Amino acid sequence: MRAHEAGALHGNDIAPTWLPYPQDVNALLPGLWSQTTARGADGALEVGGVSALRIAEEVGTPAFVLDEDDMRTRALRFREAFTEAFRPLSGADIYYAGKSFLCVAVARWMEEDGLGLDVCTGGELAVALRAGFPPERLALHGNNKSDAEIRRALEAGVGRIVIDSLEEIDQLARLARESGARPAVMLRITTGVEAHTHEFIATSHEDQKFGISLASGDALEALRRVLAQEDALELLGLHSHIGSQIFDTGGFEVAARRILGLVAQVRDELGATITHLDLGGGFGVMYNTQHTPQTPEALATGISTIIEKGCLDLEIEIPRVAFEPGRAIAGPSTQTLYTVGTVKDVQLGGQQHRLYVAVDGGMSDNIRTALYDADYSTLLASRVSDAQPQVVRVVGKHCESGDIIVKDEYLPGDVGRGDLISVPVTGAYCYSLASNYNHVPRPPVVAVKDGRITTLLRRETEEDLLGLDAG
Ligand SMILES: *Cc1c(COP(=O)(O)O)cnc(C)c1O
């Protein structure tokens, strides 16, 4: 493979500035692929000791391919790093955020690896219960929980329920009295901190649906109301979640300081002790070279220092702290394998043209590009090629021009029908946001490990779809 200066030989400067011209278009970018992904002797991509060719042959495409060792290592690493860093304080717990990707097998892995599990609907709770997840290690979220969802959580003995509004306090207290349970509750507080990627904003108000506002005084009022109903509710602590795909601890620091300020206020004005904090999830992952995630160890050390210092400054007892990573555990473990169909070279005017590579899935299995303007990467998976790299756009098969999976990436210029390509870091918020748009059945999720393929979720069939149609 010859290396070129960006733009020197390919004469097609449509690549965004962050996307470097590849030294080797067949190489796996470090940090982007799950830990067991490599090129096999025949040049095909291999995960969990299984060739992409064999996966395509046995389960078809598109398919989500989950590297089991990778996901479990990430889960364990978060648990161990935070346990270690918070040991000198009052300890820490990791709850896997099930909304990023949940199925029975994943719930069992999280259970075995000592994590808790966050669920935010009756459906997610049902998966956890089906997996036999210990209810005391479950947390129930949701800004609009139904009576039925709350009853089910109370009946199951869910370990903590995160209250999201003033209204929910009375709803939960009423249902708790009815059921005879006394749930441990946390109050979700909005601190005015909103973080995305490399920036955060800190305001004194929030214009969004989640949580109970700190700045308006509602948060203190909510605590008063919970304490007034201590016959029905056990006040466990406070919760804050500031956003997603976050790379530094600055936003956590501002949010934590505001929450700890409330802890001190509760002690001084209401005479109550807050023993638990939950600082939510949101730790970022690498989708491409623009992203520079911190290790779990660095995050744990950074945040534990923030908590320790904040508590010292306010002279409050250090609470036990929970975190809820979803994307950082599920995301990088999984890649989506697609088969290439139509390839179209579209003239853009001047010397410029763009190679549109259409695959057999699309926005129904990965809506993040259309929804969040996400940037993904991709690699030729069925072979290596020494053709000159070209900027491609990977699109799906849906009737929508926004049906884009990878906006910009280099692939060998000879990519064509029948090739397999793989898109990394699709483990979080892809399957869980998947749809049946255009009556396209959802792909399967298969786990690969030690040369074995295990189906976690089978491919949907037309029969599954027609089964809903009353005719
Ligand atoms: C979405 C969410 C998470 C997980 O966020 P990630 O970005 O996947 O880590 C955790 N906690 C709450 C309350 C959430 O809404």
Side-chain angles (χ1 to χ4, degrees):
M1 194 62 252
R2 286 181 303 158
H4 312 295
E5 288 295 310
L9 280 175
H10 50 106
N12 191 12
D13 285 326
I14 54 170
T17 49
W18 60 263
L19 183 67
Y21 189 78
Q23 292 289 313
D24 177 358
V25 72
N26 298 303
L28 278 67
L29 212 61
L32 199 57
W33 296 87
S34 72
Q35 68 186 37
T36 72
T37 306
R39 288 258 178 219
D42 61 352
L45 224 52
E46 206 179 85
V47 201
V50 188
S51 162
L53 296 167
R54 194 182 127 204
I55 297 169
E57 171 89 21
E58 287 187 20
V59 305
T61 60
F64 288 97
V65 182
L66 189 161
D67 184 339
E68 180 175 337
D69 284 340
D70 184 278
M71 184 167 184
R72 298 192 69 163
T73 305
R74 279 174 210 278
L76 263 178
R77 201 168 152 193
F78 264 100
R79 187 175 71 78
E80 282 167 3
F82 280 81
T83 303
E84 201 50 44
F86 282 79
R87 195 189 306 283
L89 311 183
S90 299
D93 300 292
I94 298 291
Y95 286 73
Y96 170 64
K99 75 175 199 238
S100 62
F101 172 65
L102 191 61
C103 63
V104 166
V106 164
R108 292 209 174 113
W109 295 342
M110 296 303 137
E111 195 276 312
E112 283 170 24
D113 294 340
L115 283 77
L117 179 63
D118 252 9
V119 295
C120 60
T121 61
E124 289 179 2
L125 177 58
V127 176
L129 296 177
R130 167 75 64 88
F133 203 91
E136 66 279 6
R137 275 158 55 194
L138 290 174
L140 178 67
H141 283 275
N143 71 304
N144 182 25
K145 303 177 190 76
S146 69
D147 282 6
E149 285 171 323
I150 291 176
R151 280 200 190 97
R152 193 163 184 192
L154 292 172
E155 198 178 301
V158 162
R160 47 178 72 172
I161 297 181
V162 182
I163 294 177
D164 200 85
S165 64
L166 285 170
E167 201 183 307
E168 192 185 331
I169 298 169
D170 292 336
Q171 180 195 20
L172 183 54
R174 166 175 59 81
L175 295 168
R177 283 189 194 100
E178 259 176 47
S179 76
R182 184 167 172 264
V185 302
M186 298 188 111
L187 290 171
R188 178 160 175 177
I189 308 297
T190 42
T191 57
V193 178
E194 198 190 319
H196 301 283
T197 311
H198 293 287
E199 289 118 42
F200 71 91
I201 50 167
T203 62
S204 61
H205 59 85
E206 284 216 2
D207 188 4
Q208 50 106 337
K209 71 172 185 173
F210 288 111
I212 305 170
S213 157
L214 179 64
S216 69
D218 281 358
L220 194 63
E221 174 58 22
L223 283 153
R224 208 175 264 127
R225 289 191 198 176
V226 169
L227 290 169
Q229 309 209 56
E230 277 198 299
D231 63 306
L233 308 174
E234 178 200 340
L235 177 61
L236 185 70
L238 302 175
H239 180 283
S240 155
H241 174 74
I242 58 172
S244 218
Q245 187 62 353
I246 303 167
F247 290 108
D248 54 48
T249 51
F252 286 102
E253 177 158 17
V254 179
R257 290 207 153 256
R258 290 181 179 181
I259 291 282
L260 290 173
L262 181 60
V263 172
Q265 199 181 5
V266 170
R267 177 198 58 197
D268 298 342
E269 294 179 30
L270 307 179
T273 307
I274 300 290
T275 56
H276 288 71
L277 289 188
D278 186 328
L279 293 181
F283 306 124
V285 301
M286 180 180 180
Y287 288 104
N288 55 60
T289 52
Q290 297 173 98
H291 302 136
T292 49
Q294 291 187 43
T295 61
E297 291 77 17
L299 288 166
T301 306
I303 299 176
S304 65
T305 307
I306 289 167
I307 295 292
E308 185 175 20
K309 182 159 188 321
C311 291
L312 269 175
D313 289 350
L314 291 161
E315 295 176 355
I316 50 183
E317 279 175 51
I318 298 176
R320 189 174 178 89
V321 188
F323 297 89
E324 306 169 327
R327 182 194 315 269
I329 291 175
S333 70
T334 297
Q335 51 194 291
T336 313
L337 211 52
Y338 298 102
T339 301
V340 173
T342 305
V343 176
K344 218 181 257 184
D345 199 10
V346 175
Q347 301 304 312
L348 305 177
Q351 291 297 310
Q352 296 193 321
H353 58 107
R354 193 191 301 283
L355 204 59
Y356 277 83
V357 175
V359 296
D360 50 355
M363 64 195 297
S364 55
D365 59 70
N366 188 348
I367 191 74
R368 291 193 65 258
T369 306
L371 192 60
Y372 303 123
D373 201 26
D375 287 306
Y376 279 93
S377 181
T378 187
L379 209 58
L380 186 56
S382 42
R383 60 186 174 99
V384 287
S385 163
D386 55 12
Q388 187 166 320
Q390 272 204 44
V391 177
V392 302
R393 180 158 288 176
V394 179
V395 296
K397 59 180 289 160
H398 295 279
C399 292
E400 191 96 38
S401 51
D403 174 26
I404 297 168
I405 303 168
V406 183
K407 284 187 295 189
D408 305 282
E409 183 52 286
Y410 284 94
L411 279 180
D414 65 349
V415 60
R417 183 173 293 276
D419 277 330
L420 297 174
I421 64 168
S422 185
V423 175
V425 201
T426 56
Y429 307 108
C430 289
Y431 190 91
S432 63
L433 283 166
S435 75
N436 292 122
Y437 183 41
N438 294 138
H439 281 62
V440 171
R442 268 175 275 241
V445 181
V446 298
V448 288
K449 178 181 162 68
D450 302 334
R452 281 193 317 276
I453 305 174
T454 310
T455 298
L456 304 185
L457 292 158
R458 70 159 169 83
R459 185 183 301 283
E460 245 172 4
T461 63
E462 274 175 19
E463 277 311 304
D464 290 327
L465 301 185
L466 286 167
L468 301 173
D469 191 326

